[in-house]
Amino acid sequence: MEKGASEADPSRGRNGFVGVLYGEFSDVLNDRVRYSVSLTESALTIQRISSSPGRTKVVFNLADCIGCRAHRAPDAADVGAYFTAYFYPFKRRWMSAGVARQRVEQCFRVALVQEPLANLQEAERWARAIRDASALQAPRRDEHQNHARELARKADLSQWDALVIMSGDGLLFEVINGLMEREDWQQAIQVPLGILPGGSGNALAASIHHYSQSPPAWNEELLLSCGFMLCKGLVGSLDLVSVQLASRQRLYSFLSLAWGFVADVDIESEKYRHVGPIRFLMGTLVRLASLRVYQGRLAYLPVRDARRPPKAGRRSDPEPPEGGARTRTPAPAPAAPLLPALDQPVPDSWTVVREQEFVLVLAVYQSHLAEDLWTAPGAAADDGLIHLFYVTAGVSRPALLRLFLAMEKGGHLACGCPHLVYERVRALRLEPVTPQGMITVDGEVVEYGPVQAQIHPGLARLICG
């Protein structure tokens, strides 16, 4: 009879053992081989039970655990149940000096009693406890704002082949800016980025799904699609946009820059976050009821030819002088040659929109602005373009609502609205005149005031299936 986790082990108690669970289970291939298994908050310890004085002990760090499942045996006559834990610890490769994460499975047979259901319940209890304990090892965003940014800025990226974020777009914004703040940003931003939709907007996840030419998907179906593409592991280029604020702060954006109606809805609908993606519809209806207009100036560098700008290259460190040691100096930030200083006029090659009242100004670089907003039908993750939309004052509330309803299927440009303007650009400058308002970058509020932006083609890498 195996000792279950519910049975106390007095000897271990006297020896000071403190753990979450303890049990003794059989090997899946040989029932006569037995193991003692103990689970603590940070590790799973496995030790073979034998009469030999030197018993083999293996300790798995739960930070390396990716899951655990309980299941019945394929043979219906087997009353036992099983639980299998999956780990990816660092191990030295055969005939290699380096280490890499390698898959390890640990499976145990639970046969406490002759009742199959009771054994399965015990196996499920262990599987659930291992999953819960391993989840506690993962860093959490809710510790404080910009926590993910700090982690990305300080992390040893050599431990991972990719960075996968399960959240909305805001967390990826933090990760990208953390990577770009590193001294080795040129190498760091080359780490492939993946996204699993876990927020209310999920614009990049919806865009990646769209780029795969799959039928529209939402909620669980979108999550399944993005998970499938992560498993395929195909990596492509991702354009980033550098955004310069009046305070000289520089941010890096993968999704959008917004002022006016879109920014207002995004931020003011935060109070409805608990209802999920429908928060944007609720926020839209509320803002339509009291439509605002904003005075400002807009200028942009239009795309006048079909030639694409060169992609941002990955520079290598210069070779050290002969006999000398390699020294690493922080690389300068990516150059933004298209942008003059904010206090200087834009070049003559730019188009200047006369000062007027706007309902919204929206620059996007992905196809979707939310799961159900197909904003830029012709966009691609690496097309080297900023897709600029703006709506001028005078648009009626019903006409504006029709635009957003048509955007669900990417049909807003066919509505024939005279107040809607769409341009493909390489750079832009926005100068609000109205003293109060909100500007957002990737859905995050930034400093209100003059702002300008430029595309950097292919600066990052994206897992896109």
Side-chain angles (χ1 to χ4, degrees):
M1 180 70 68
E2 297 178 5
K3 181 180 293 184
S6 58
E7 300 177 37
D9 188 335
S11 64
R12 289 182 178 269
R14 288 194 299 270
N15 292 333
F17 175 81
V18 178
V20 178
L21 287 178
Y22 172 78
E24 294 180 5
F25 306 108
S26 302
D27 186 87
V28 294
L29 299 178
N30 187 347
D31 200 46
R32 290 178 295 179
V33 177
R34 296 166 60 77
Y35 299 92
S36 66
V37 182
S38 58
L39 174 68
T40 67
E41 293 180 351
S42 60
L44 185 73
T45 302
I46 304 165
Q47 191 161 16
R48 180 169 176 171
I49 300 174
S50 67
S51 56
S52 303
R55 299 189 298 174
T56 303
K57 177 192 289 187
V58 180
V59 179
F60 288 97
N61 190 329
L62 290 178
D64 299 328
C65 180
I66 64 168
C68 187
R69 72 182 184 99
H71 52 98
R72 291 287 307 276
D75 184 0
D78 186 354
V79 300
Y82 300 81
F83 66 92
T84 306
Y86 303 90
F87 297 86
Y88 273 85
F90 282 103
K91 298 178 66 178
R92 191 171 301 280
R93 293 187 182 275
W94 185 69
M95 297 293 291
S96 172
V99 296
R101 291 191 182 273
Q102 301 180 46
R103 182 185 177 98
V104 176
E105 296 183 15
Q106 292 293 321
C107 184
F108 302 97
R109 181 172 183 267
V110 181
L112 301 177
V113 294
Q114 293 301 309
E115 174 55 47
L117 181 58
N119 292 327
L120 181 60
Q121 289 174 340
E122 181 66 7
E124 289 174 342
R125 188 164 75 99
W126 270 84
R128 184 167 53 253
I130 292 173
R131 289 195 301 268
D132 291 346
S134 64
L136 294 175
Q137 306 306 308
R140 304 250 176 200
R141 176 193 168 121
D142 55 12
E143 291 184 19
H144 54 81
Q145 189 177 12
N146 281 321
H147 183 213
R149 190 171 186 160
E150 295 172 6
L151 291 174
R153 186 169 61 243
K154 300 175 183 178
D156 178 7
L157 299 179
S158 65
Q159 297 187 57
W160 303 294
D161 296 320
L163 296 177
V164 178
I165 294 89
M166 184 172 184
S167 181
D169 300 302
L171 197 64
L172 182 58
F173 171 76
E174 288 190 15
V175 170
I176 287 175
N177 280 276
L179 295 176
M180 292 302 295
E181 289 169 358
R182 296 168 62 103
E183 292 186 355
D184 63 343
W185 67 265
Q186 289 174 316
Q187 290 74 40
I189 200 61
Q190 292 296 307
V191 176
L193 301 170
I195 188 76
L196 289 172
S200 51
N202 304 320
L204 183 61
S207 299
I208 293 173
H209 174 83
H210 170 71
Y211 301 149
S212 70
Q213 299 183 343
S214 301
W218 301 271
N219 303 323
E220 291 83 0
E221 291 183 5
L222 180 60
L223 176 60
L224 179 62
S225 172
C226 290
F228 172 72
M229 286 185 279
L230 286 178
C231 291
K232 290 177 67 177
L234 301 180
V235 178
S237 298
L238 174 66
D239 297 340
L240 295 183
V241 169
S242 60
V243 180
Q244 295 181 2
L245 306 179
S247 62
R248 299 181 183 271
Q249 182 184 10
R250 193 171 180 186
L251 302 172
Y252 294 89
S253 167
F254 67 92
L255 178 61
S256 66
L257 168 67
W259 175 54
F261 187 87
V262 172
D264 293 346
V265 168
D266 195 2
I267 301 306
E268 293 172 359
S269 66
E270 285 284 343
K271 63 174 72 76
Y272 312 125
R273 181 176 286 273
H274 62 281
V275 301
I278 200 175
R279 61 174 265 215
F280 297 110
L281 175 59
M282 297 173 64
T284 298
L285 296 176
V286 170
R287 183 47 47 219
L288 279 172
S290 55
L291 192 60
R292 298 170 181 161
V293 294
Y294 295 90
Q295 189 83 14
R297 293 181 289 270
L298 178 65
Y300 55 84
L301 176 62
V303 176
R304 291 195 172 95
D305 55 58
R307 291 177 301 169
R308 294 180 45 156
K311 290 187 177 181
R314 180 180 179 180
R315 306 174 192 168
S316 57
D317 294 334
E319 290 297 323
E322 186 175 353
R326 181 187 294 268
T327 59
R328 180 181 294 276
T329 57
L338 300 180
L339 300 179
L342 266 173
D343 58 356
Q344 298 296 316
V346 297
D348 293 339
S349 57
W350 288 45
T351 297
V352 178
V353 180
R354 65 179 176 83
E355 181 177 324
Q356 60 181 298
E357 290 183 331
F358 297 89
V359 172
L360 67 88
V361 174
L362 172 65
V364 296
Y365 351 115
Q366 306 299 332
S367 63
H368 284 66
L369 194 61
E371 288 185 24
D372 56 354
L373 289 180
W374 187 7
T375 309
D382 61 348
D383 60 9
L385 299 173
I386 297 174
H387 300 265
L388 176 63
F389 299 83
Y390 62 90
V391 176
T392 57
V395 64
S396 66
R397 290 179 176 84
L400 188 59
L401 179 59
R402 281 195 297 271
L403 284 178
F404 278 91
L405 293 177
M407 197 179 293
E408 293 183 5
K409 297 184 178 180
H412 48 294
L413 293 176
C415 288
C417 178
H419 296 277
L420 172 63
V421 179
Y422 165 61
E423 296 284 348
R424 299 188 307 161
V425 308
R426 306 279 190 214
L428 65 92
R429 176 184 288 181
L430 171 65
E431 299 176 274
V433 175
T434 301
Q436 293 184 339
M438 283 186 285
I439 295 176
T440 60
V441 175
D442 295 355
E444 303 294 316
V445 178
V446 299
E447 172 191 359
Y448 187 71
V451 60
Q452 60 184 9
Q454 173 187 326
I455 193 81
H456 296 277
L459 184 60
R461 302 174 71 206
L462 179 69
I463 302 174
C464 52

